Amino acid sequence: MGLVASGKAPKPLTKLLNLGRKYSIWMYQWGLACCAIEMGAVIGSPRYDVMRLGVIPFPASPRQADLVVISGTVTDKMVPSILRLYQQMPDPKYVISMGSCANCGGPYWDSYSVTKGVDQVIPVDVYVPGCPPRPEALLEGIVLLQERISNEDPAARWRGDPIVVD
Amino acid sequence: MTAVGTDQRQQLAYVATQAADARLNVEIETEGMTLNIGPQHPATHGTLRLVARLDGEQVVEAEPIMGYLHRGYEKLADVRTYPQVTTLINRIDWLGSFANEVPFILAAEQLMEVEAPPRAAWIRTILFELSRLANISLFLGDMGMQLGAITPVFFAFRDREFVLNQIEAVTGGRFHPNFDRIGGLKDDLPKGWIDETRGVMVKMRNFCDELEDLLLGNEIFEARTRGVGVIPADVALSYGLSGANLRASGVDWDMRRDNPCGLVHDQLDWKVWTHPDGDSFARYWVRLQETREATHMIEQMLDGLPGGPVMAKVPVIIKVPAGEAYVATENPLGVMGYYVVSKGDLGPFRVKIRSASFNNISVTPWVMRGVYVPDVITILASLYFILGDIDR
Ligand code: SF4
């Protein structure tokens, strides 16, 4: 990856790399609450079947994962674990926040124990709204993320530039 | 070395004692290991954290640590109005959401002294049992997955969709319907729903048969569940277990039959299933039979559905007179009850929630003493809890 790291990768090579990354996302499921069941439907139900999008939903540990789906209510007690497992994931890594709870606190916006949005702790790439979002909504979230990956300049991650999506 | 008799038998006995002593010494010197399972672990389905102290392969002590999903329902209910509370409590046991609303609504109706019209009570009971199907069917598949057979969970997700479709057709929500109102229901059933539901009931029975073929006769499944995690009836009662966990210990107790406040289970012809063993297999078996029984119940209710309105006369702005009421029903996970205190305001003054999983999980330290590590997973799966129902 010397070429990529120095930011001099020719455009066709970048496209090819992105194509590969886009269709081999290892997804780490972080099921916290009700939304986890809809995520389970996306993975386990033959009607939705996330694997047809090139997403492999069973990495054994966050160290193998490219994508983490935070689905459900994040409580203040849970936050340290989320942060720790996020830090264990290798770069480049992506985060989908699924459901109102993970987006902004949802129905527990005035609760004393719920973190109002997981984006206070880790950076989020795609927000999937809904309470719970339908499985189709999560699928769309994944497709949006794939679009984002395909337009990405991999060198930007090494250079530390902000990622611009067109 | 002390004198050893020439008699060979004596010698052998001496060697055996020495060996036993050596083993004992080794055992004394082993160091305990603490195994932390969770809070994020595929086998705890949710955010339960279990700290187990191990001696070799055996669990000396296991302690569940809860609170990773505490969302503060009881406090939030104090600052919401009655219709808003049902939105919230939907999400306690998220697999059988509709069933969560029912006891609360019944308690509020008791305080307001209104009664839902017969058709509403019947449809309520149908949806109540449908949410039981949606809930327990996932357990039936999941238990297989925890023991290493991944097919059942795919079957469960496949057939659960049909039930969710029916719930969605009536209530508009796959998961959190928020359909129950004080004094009745929001809407009547859509056209053609009854016939479709009959078809779904046949599908669910086929699903049960399939799982019975796959798992109950399976040697591995039986070896890993029979005699594992035995909870005797007296222990089950003293820990406050309820639902199928209690019935699998041989206690014949079901709120649907014994205290059918507001629902119509007493007008149906059905049977309470119990199993004398109290082990993980019994808990699976009882839940499987109950799923089948629920499909029969729903079919009877579809046949006998009375006509009429689905909403009683209640004021637009709901104010519940001062008083206290406690209503409990037999939810998919066990007995769920709400103790509602009203001071005559728009919202409750205080709501105390009694949820089944909290009590069901409290037996784990007792039942896990001395089991082997793989059995921990079996026991957790067979006790069947939902984290939202524990932490609330
Ligand atoms: S967004 Fe809704 S469905 Fe999802 S975890 Fe929160 S309350 Fe549950």
Side-chain angles (χ1 to χ4, degrees):
Chain A
M1 299 294 269
L3 271 181
V4 175
S6 61
K8 286 191 205 106
K11 203 142 199 174
L13 185 61
T14 307
K15 277 253 175 294
L16 197 67
L17 281 176
N18 283 347
L19 194 71
R21 291 198 304 136
K22 174 177 160 187
Y23 290 121
S24 57
I25 298 176
W26 285 59
M27 167 177 147
Y28 183 59
Q29 336 157 12
W30 194 304
L32 288 164
C34 345
C35 284
I37 307 299
E38 289 294 54
M39 186 174 63
V42 164
I43 293 159
S45 160
R47 190 186 290 183
Y48 304 109
D49 186 18
V50 75
M51 287 198 212
R52 69 201 155 122
L53 298 177
V55 173
I56 300 146
F58 301 112
S61 98
R63 293 189 177 90
Q64 303 169 351
D66 305 307
L67 161 69
V68 58
V69 178
I70 308 277
S71 54
T73 318
V74 182
T75 56
D76 291 349
K77 191 171 178 178
M78 199 67 187
V79 158
S81 320
I82 289 187
L83 196 59
R84 185 156 169 200
L85 263 70
Y86 177 75
Q87 283 163 350
Q88 287 180 2
M89 286 169 60
D91 257 327
K93 51 191 170 189
Y94 303 93
V95 180
I96 292 183
S97 148
M98 178 184 185
S100 316
C101 282
N103 292 349
C104 62
Y108 315 101
W109 58 274
D110 52 350
S111 168
Y112 54 83
S113 57
V114 173
T115 310
K116 279 74 183 182
V118 72
D119 50 5
Q120 295 179 17
V121 200
I122 57 177
V124 175
D125 291 274
V126 178
Y127 296 88
V128 181
C131 183
R134 295 184 62 93
E136 291 93 331
L138 180 58
L139 290 180
E140 198 193 348
I142 288 172
V143 170
L144 284 176
L145 183 72
Q146 287 178 334
E147 250 168 51
R148 174 175 199 162
I149 292 175
S150 71
N151 293 327
E152 222 175 51
D153 175 13
R157 294 245 170 201
W158 274 270
R159 285 200 302 265
D161 296 349
I163 298 159
V164 183
V165 186
D166 45 353
Chain B
M1 202 189 245
T2 47
V4 178
T6 43
D7 185 21
Q8 210 192 355
R9 230 182 34 228
Q10 221 177 350
Q11 207 171 2
L12 282 176
Y14 176 77
V15 171
T17 332
Q18 288 280 303
D21 274 351
R23 254 206 314 279
L24 198 69
N25 283 338
V26 167
E27 249 168 31
I28 286 169
E29 279 165 19
T30 47
E31 258 180 41
M33 180 186 141
T34 309
L35 180 68
N36 179 44
I37 308 174
Q40 159 66 17
H41 191 268
T44 58
H45 36 149
T47 52
L48 182 76
R49 177 165 161 223
L50 198 73
V51 177
R53 216 150 57 74
L54 306 181
D55 180 11
E57 268 285 286
Q58 270 178 323
V59 176
V60 181
E61 201 181 4
E63 192 192 351
I65 297 178
M66 311 171 228
Y68 283 94
L69 197 59
H70 177 67
R71 306 191 266 196
Y73 283 107
E74 291 182 7
K75 187 69 197 156
L76 288 183
D78 293 355
V79 294
R80 302 274 202 271
T81 64
Y82 281 91
Q84 286 172 343
V85 170
T86 52
T87 330
L88 212 57
I89 59 180
N90 259 176
R91 288 146 176 87
I92 292 179
D93 158 19
W94 48 68
L95 285 175
S97 304
F98 185 80
N100 292 329
E101 302 171 19
V102 174
F104 177 77
I105 292 287
L106 289 175
E109 281 178 356
Q110 225 176 58
L111 285 174
M112 284 182 73
E113 288 169 5
V114 293
E115 202 177 323
R119 187 174 171 86
W122 280 70
I123 297 177
R124 239 180 224 175
T125 317
I126 292 176
L127 288 172
F128 190 81
E129 290 301 320
L130 273 179
S131 56
R132 182 182 310 276
L133 288 183
N135 188 326
I136 304 291
S137 62
L138 198 60
F139 161 78
L140 296 176
D142 185 61
M143 177 94 176
M145 189 174 81
Q146 307 288 350
L147 301 180
I150 210 155
T151 317
V153 80
F154 289 136
F155 283 178
F157 269 117
R158 181 194 66 193
D159 289 337
R160 205 170 157 267
E161 285 292 324
F162 299 118
V163 179
L164 291 183
N165 276 356
Q166 293 313 101
I167 295 178
E168 189 181 10
V170 185
T171 66
R174 277 160 61 87
F175 259 55
H176 300 315
N178 192 21
F179 191 64
D180 220 351
R181 297 287 187 270
I182 294 174
L185 292 169
K186 181 170 174 292
D187 253 323
D188 211 332
L189 298 177
K191 210 171 145 220
W193 189 82
I194 291 180
D195 290 330
E196 261 178 46
T197 310
R198 282 212 182 86
V200 171
M201 289 308 111
V202 176
K203 277 187 189 136
M204 287 313 285
R205 271 201 296 279
N206 288 344
F207 164 71
C208 291
D209 294 345
E210 236 167 20
L211 283 188
E212 204 159 20
D213 278 356
L214 269 178
L215 289 179
L216 288 199
N218 186 316
E219 213 171 305
I220 302 171
F221 185 81
E222 299 231 340
R224 289 208 50 193
T225 53
R226 277 211 194 260
V228 171
V230 179
I231 305 175
D234 54 334
V235 176
L237 281 173
S238 63
Y239 273 95
L241 258 59
S242 55
N245 290 335
L246 183 63
R247 289 190 285 277
S249 295
V251 183
D252 189 8
W253 189 61
D254 193 321
M255 293 288 271
R256 290 176 285 175
R257 180 196 58 195
D258 302 334
N259 184 16
C261 48
L263 298 176
V264 298
H265 289 109
D266 51 339
Q267 297 171 40
L268 308 173
D269 174 27
W270 60 289
K271 175 174 178 279
V272 177
W273 292 88
T274 58
H275 198 291
D277 286 357
D279 55 4
S280 304
F281 182 85
R283 291 193 274 275
Y284 189 88
W285 187 87
V286 167
R287 289 215 173 84
L288 187 68
Q289 304 306 328
E290 277 182 3
T291 313
R292 220 177 256 144
E293 199 67 48
T295 61
H296 290 301
M297 262 192 245
I298 292 172
E299 274 175 356
Q300 287 174 40
M301 284 186 275
L302 292 175
D303 289 336
L305 197 62
V310 291
M311 193 72 190
K313 276 229 165 339
V314 283
V316 181
I317 294 172
I318 287 172
K319 266 199 182 167
V320 174
E324 301 175 2
Y326 176 74
V327 175
T329 52
E330 183 80 24
N331 277 33
L333 295 167
V335 173
M336 180 172 215
Y338 291 88
Y339 183 66
V340 183
V341 182
S342 176
K343 292 248 161 125
D345 287 334
L346 289 175
F349 176 71
R350 176 86 172 85
V351 179
K352 166 81 184 87
I353 305 166
R354 187 260 188 236
S355 64
S357 296
F358 183 74
N359 292 50
N360 289 351
I361 196 76
S362 66
V363 80
T364 42
W366 189 91
V367 73
M368 280 191 187
R369 223 173 286 145
V371 302
Y372 289 97
V373 174
D375 296 345
V376 170
I377 305 301
T378 315
I379 294 169
L380 278 185
S382 75
L383 277 176
Y384 193 40
F385 47 84
I386 285 185
L387 258 293
D389 209 32
I390 297 176
D391 293 336
R392 291 175 305 222

